[in-house]
């Protein structure tokens, strides 16, 4: 089942075309890795898919209907985005911050936070945050804050997760447990995940598909085993690569 | 709520003519037996009660407008007065005073000046359907400074007999207040509107992009906040002159007391603003009785120590 699809999508930043003619289907059960050099359009792509910035051309459809025909609330019920940077607001607690994830599913007058407690608690537990639930967000470490944002996404419970560098600030253990969790989600029917990341080897270990953005309009997409090879990666990153066999497949390292 | 009621009673009891508590309750109940009581009834029902209500409504409106502005700009410095609204209102009111116009035209001038100034500031910082909060705040401060210079200019060229009235207006003056029926209704409507908006305000306070990703239609929300805050500020200004400080400080105080959840914060701000301004106005009437001080002076005298105390207390815990 195709959840989100792009037809001839074009992405520009002032003075430059980042992606052009992108035809791309994201289907339930897929875990996509988006890679490319700095400024190649990964973040722009994710935010455009979420309907948060206009595309320079082409069409995005959600369940075969143009994205523009949906209300913001309907989009938020179906997809959630993890931002690379979190804007800071007025001080609130971890629990209040996570509760925001329920917003797309609640009515205007549905004020009882108690009913949401279980959902919130289990998501915070998944992200290893149950012990800091009552703390103000500004007392958390960088990695804990990142996990709080991920927990908020889990509470939002969409079909499609758009993750912009989810492993930023996470320690080794939490990088693995987070990606384990999302690959488990993507494997379940009706969910799919798109992740932009510079953690090439982690991404290749957990993702099923890959989208390469060359930053000059060119792109390539497909199954990881069909698309990834050292030559392509060298062209993508414009850096010589070495390959070593590892316990989860090949390990690619910069030479 | 209770505190609010007690402050109101206190306001009715105190004044140049002290009236005992029991008598006030009797008179409010509508019993006026002898002529002396009739006179007291006049003082309470026609002088003190309207003025007390006007102070409460003004304080409530200003504090709520401040709470809205702080969300819209996502900046704790935002406040209708910092953004140049009071300056614009002052120009309108002072021009009317200088021309020797009646008090309703002074109010009208203030209303017009406030709205014009807000449209100017927001128009200048509204680009590509988006508000950039830093630009908004800077524009507001610069415009306010411009108004300040114009105010000094007007004061300098005004005849002496009008100066005192002008200065009182600039410092916030409740002494010409009638019963603010319309304004009170507006306050009530704005509190009610804020309730279904509040969860969206909570999300917007965490950032417009995040709010949008969680299903908030950001642009309509920004316009709603802007329109509500503008109307509330302009109404408060035409009612009572330039009373600063409440819009800035009450939302902060309330955030420390009840937390940052706008479902509670906005009604609490309305209540807190009403209490502080009423208290200040009662003191303004009574401290040097029978002389009356400008309300704005007392607002700051009460509010500054209270705010500094809460700020320090919050830091230690």
């Amino acid at each position: 089942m195709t959840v989100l699809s792009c037809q001839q999508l074009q992405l520009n930043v002032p003075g430059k075309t980042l992606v052009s003619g992108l035809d791309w289907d994201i289907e339930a059960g897929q875990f996509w890795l988006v890679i490319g050099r700095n400024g190649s359009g990964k973040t722009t792509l994710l935010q455009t898919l979420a309907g948060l910035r206009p595309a320079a051309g082409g069409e995005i459809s959600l369940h075969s209907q143009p994205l523009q025909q949906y209300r913001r609330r309907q989009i938020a019920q179906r997809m959630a985005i993890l931002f690379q940077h979190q804007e800071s607001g007025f001080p609130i607690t971890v629990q209040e911050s996570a509760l925001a994830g329920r917003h797309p599913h609640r009515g205007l007058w549905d004020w009882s936070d108690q009913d949401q407690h279980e959902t919130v608690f289990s998501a915070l537990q998944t992200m290893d945050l149950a012990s800091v639930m009552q703390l103000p967000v500004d007392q958390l470490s960088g990695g804990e804050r990142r996990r709080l944002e991920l927990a908020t996404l889990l509470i939002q419970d969409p079909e499609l997760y758009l993750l912009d560098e989810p492993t930023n600030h996470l320690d080794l253990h939490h990088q693995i447990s987070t990606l384990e969790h999302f690959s488990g989600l993507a494997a379940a029917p009706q969910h799919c995940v798109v992740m932009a990341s510079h953690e090439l080897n982690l991404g290749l270990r957990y993702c099923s598909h890959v989208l390469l953005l060359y930053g000059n309009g060119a792109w390539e997409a497909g199954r990881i085993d069909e698309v990834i090879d050292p030559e392509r990666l060298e062209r993508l990153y414009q850096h010589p690569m070495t390959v070593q066999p590892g316990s989860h497949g090949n390990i690619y390292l910069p030479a | 709520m209770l505190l609010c009621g007690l402050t109101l009673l206190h306001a009715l009891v105190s004044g140049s003519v002290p009236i005992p508590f029991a008598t006030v309750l009797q008179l409010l109940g509508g019993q006026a037996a002898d002529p002396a009581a009739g006179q007291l009834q006049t003082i309470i029902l026609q002088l003190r009660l309207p003025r007390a209500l006007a102070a409460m409504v003004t304080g409530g409106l200003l504090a709520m407008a401040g709470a809205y502005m702080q969300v819209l700009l996502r900046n704790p410095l935002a406040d209708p007065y910092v953004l140049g609204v009071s300056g614009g209102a002052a120009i309108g009111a002072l021009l009317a005073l200088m021309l020797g116009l009646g008090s309703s035209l002074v109010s009208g001038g203030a209303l017009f000046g406030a709205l014009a100034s807000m449209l100017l500031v927001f128009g200048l910082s509204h680009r590509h359907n988006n508000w950039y909060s830093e630009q908004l705040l800077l524009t507001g401060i610069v415009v306010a400074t411009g108004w300040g210079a114009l105010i000094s200019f007007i004061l300098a060229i005004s005849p002496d007999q009008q100066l005192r009235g002008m200065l009182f207006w600039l410092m916030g003056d409740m002494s010409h207040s009638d019963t603010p029926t319309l304004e009170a209704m507006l306050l009530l409507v704005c509190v009610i509107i804020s309730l279904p908006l509040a969860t969206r305000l909570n999300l917007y306070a965490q950032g417009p992009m995040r709010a949008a990703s969680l299903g908030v239609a950001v642009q309509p929300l920004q316009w709603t906040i802007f329109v509500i805050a503008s109307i509330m500020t302009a109404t408060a200004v035409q009612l009572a002159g330039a009373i600063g400080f409440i819009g800035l400080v009450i939302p902060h105080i309330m955030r420390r007391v009840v937390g940052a959840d706008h479902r509670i914060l906005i009604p609490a701000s309305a209540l807190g603003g009403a209490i502080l301004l009423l208290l200040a106005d009662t003191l303004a009437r009574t401290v040097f009785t029978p002389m009356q001080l400008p309300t704005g002076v007392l607002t700051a005298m009460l509010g500054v120590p209270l705010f500094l105390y809460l700020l320090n207390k919050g830091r230690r815990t």
Side-chain angles (χ1 to χ4, degrees):
Chain A
M1 182 183 61
T2 303
V3 176
L4 195 75
S5 78
C6 308
Q7 293 97 37
Q8 290 296 307
L9 187 69
Q10 171 141 355
L11 303 177
N12 293 351
V13 287
K16 200 177 164 200
T17 295
L18 296 175
V19 176
S20 79
L22 178 64
D23 291 314
W24 183 32
D25 287 343
I26 303 167
E27 291 177 18
Q30 294 179 339
F31 192 170
W32 282 86
L33 173 67
V34 181
I35 50 177
R37 282 163 62 106
N38 294 145
S40 58
K42 300 184 294 295
T43 297
T44 310
L45 175 67
L46 292 191
Q47 294 185 355
T48 309
L49 293 183
L52 296 175
R53 52 165 83 218
E59 188 74 33
I60 299 171
S61 37
L62 179 59
H63 289 297
S64 338
Q65 270 194 57
L67 194 60
Q68 304 92 290
Q69 287 180 9
Y70 288 86
R71 301 167 65 89
R72 275 275 19 129
R73 186 182 165 78
Q74 297 172 317
I75 295 177
Q77 288 163 354
R78 292 166 179 82
M79 45 172 147
I81 180 166
L82 175 78
F83 294 103
Q84 194 177 141
H85 302 288
Q86 181 60 54
E87 303 158 289
S88 62
F90 293 105
I92 52 174
T93 67
V94 169
Q95 194 177 6
E96 286 171 324
S97 177
L99 194 59
R102 285 307 295 161
H103 183 263
H105 304 285
R106 301 173 77 180
L108 270 188
W109 296 100
D110 177 9
W111 277 24
S112 163
D113 294 345
Q114 294 307 316
D115 309 349
Q116 320 287 338
H117 186 79
E118 215 154 288
T119 324
V120 171
F121 184 74
S122 87
L124 288 175
Q125 216 167 22
T126 306
M127 284 296 146
D128 230 351
L129 289 168
S131 59
V132 293
M133 222 162 108
Q134 306 298 340
L135 286 187
V137 173
D138 51 14
Q139 284 181 21
L140 299 186
S141 74
E144 284 171 326
R145 247 180 256 195
R146 200 72 184 144
R147 282 185 275 134
L148 170 58
E149 289 155 30
L150 286 161
T152 311
L153 252 64
L154 295 179
I155 293 165
Q156 196 175 342
D157 189 26
E159 293 163 69
L160 170 61
Y161 293 88
L162 302 166
L163 310 177
D164 199 349
E165 305 198 20
T167 53
N168 273 6
H169 305 297
L170 296 190
D171 59 54
L172 282 179
H173 167 70
H174 285 109
Q175 289 184 358
I176 297 293
S177 63
T178 299
L179 290 181
E180 288 277 356
H181 189 81
F182 279 98
S183 74
L185 273 178
Q190 293 181 348
H191 285 102
C192 40
V193 183
V194 177
M195 162 172 97
S197 182
H198 292 294
E199 294 286 348
L200 179 62
N201 293 304
L202 272 179
L204 295 179
R205 173 169 160 190
Y206 286 103
C207 295
S208 58
H209 293 68
V210 64
L211 173 69
L212 283 66
L213 298 181
Y214 290 91
N216 55 1
W219 55 274
E220 281 177 291
R223 291 184 54 83
I224 281 183
D225 48 8
E226 289 164 2
V227 175
I228 291 295
D229 58 46
E231 294 73 39
R232 275 215 179 80
L233 289 175
E234 285 184 355
R235 210 167 65 232
L236 181 78
Y237 288 115
Q238 293 174 26
H239 195 92
M241 305 290 285
T242 63
V243 190
Q244 290 169 14
S247 49
H248 301 280
N250 284 341
I251 305 280
Y252 294 88
L253 293 170
Chain B
M1 279 293 208
L2 188 68
L3 192 59
C4 190
L6 286 179
T7 328
L8 180 61
L9 271 182
H10 173 246
L12 295 180
V13 172
S14 5
S16 321
V17 182
I19 303 174
F21 182 65
T23 322
V24 168
L25 282 186
Q26 264 179 21
L27 288 174
L28 282 180
Q31 302 156 359
D34 50 281
Q39 195 186 358
L40 292 184
Q41 190 175 29
T42 312
I43 292 182
I44 289 187
L45 292 184
Q46 287 176 21
L47 293 174
R48 287 187 194 165
L49 189 62
R51 179 166 173 164
L53 289 178
M56 290 171 72
V57 170
T58 308
L61 286 172
L62 285 175
M64 268 212 294
Y68 273 107
M69 290 283 184
Q70 287 172 14
V71 181
L72 179 63
L73 272 72
R74 302 201 313 111
N75 190 315
L77 277 181
D79 138 86
Y81 287 82
V82 176
L83 292 176
V85 182
S86 78
I91 302 286
L94 293 190
L95 285 179
L97 283 170
M98 192 165 75
L99 298 173
L101 300 176
S103 67
S104 63
L105 282 173
V106 174
S107 293
L111 188 66
F112 178 78
L115 287 174
S117 180
M118 267 183 286
L119 282 177
L120 179 71
V121 169
F122 281 81
L124 282 175
S125 34
H126 191 246
R127 288 272 178 284
H128 311 296
N129 260 328
N130 228 323
W131 274 309
Y132 299 100
S133 52
E134 272 140 48
Q135 184 162 6
L136 194 55
L137 200 58
L138 267 178
T139 313
I141 289 172
V142 169
V143 168
T145 313
W147 292 140
L150 263 180
I151 290 169
S152 306
F153 174 73
I154 293 178
L155 290 178
I157 61 165
S158 292
D160 279 351
Q161 68 266 28
Q162 276 156 16
L163 266 182
R164 193 178 153 79
M166 288 182 169
L167 286 176
F168 259 69
W169 195 96
L170 283 177
M171 290 183 279
D173 186 7
M174 311 283 320
S175 56
H176 310 294
S177 310
D178 299 322
T179 309
T181 318
L182 275 178
E183 289 87 348
M185 276 160 58
L186 179 79
L187 177 69
L188 205 65
V189 168
C190 288
V191 172
I192 292 169
I193 291 178
S194 78
L195 297 179
L197 275 179
T199 46
R200 278 173 277 169
L201 295 179
N202 285 343
L203 296 180
Y204 188 84
Q206 300 300 313
M209 281 286 253
R210 180 169 154 91
S213 79
L214 286 166
V216 177
V218 166
Q219 278 173 28
L221 182 68
Q222 286 174 327
W223 278 105
T224 311
I225 301 176
F226 169 59
V227 169
I228 293 180
S230 303
I231 293 175
M232 287 196 293
T233 312
T235 310
V237 167
Q238 61 88 24
L239 202 58
I243 296 178
F245 201 66
I246 286 213
L248 177 68
V249 148
I250 289 290
H252 282 284
I253 292 179
M254 287 304 160
R255 217 171 272 127
R256 275 164 198 281
V257 177
V258 302
D261 185 341
H262 289 84
R263 291 176 294 184
I264 306 163
L265 180 63
I266 290 193
S269 293
L271 212 55
I275 293 173
L276 180 61
L277 193 54
L278 179 57
L279 210 57
D281 186 52
T282 309
L283 285 176
R285 286 193 293 119
T286 51
V287 176
F288 291 113
T289 179
M291 203 179 107
Q292 306 211 341
L293 298 172
T295 313
V297 174
L298 267 298
T299 318
M301 282 183 174
L302 281 179
V304 169
L306 182 62
F307 184 61
L308 290 179
Y309 167 72
L310 283 169
L311 201 62
N312 261 308
K313 190 174 147 229
R315 195 180 302 147
R316 245 175 264 133
T317 51

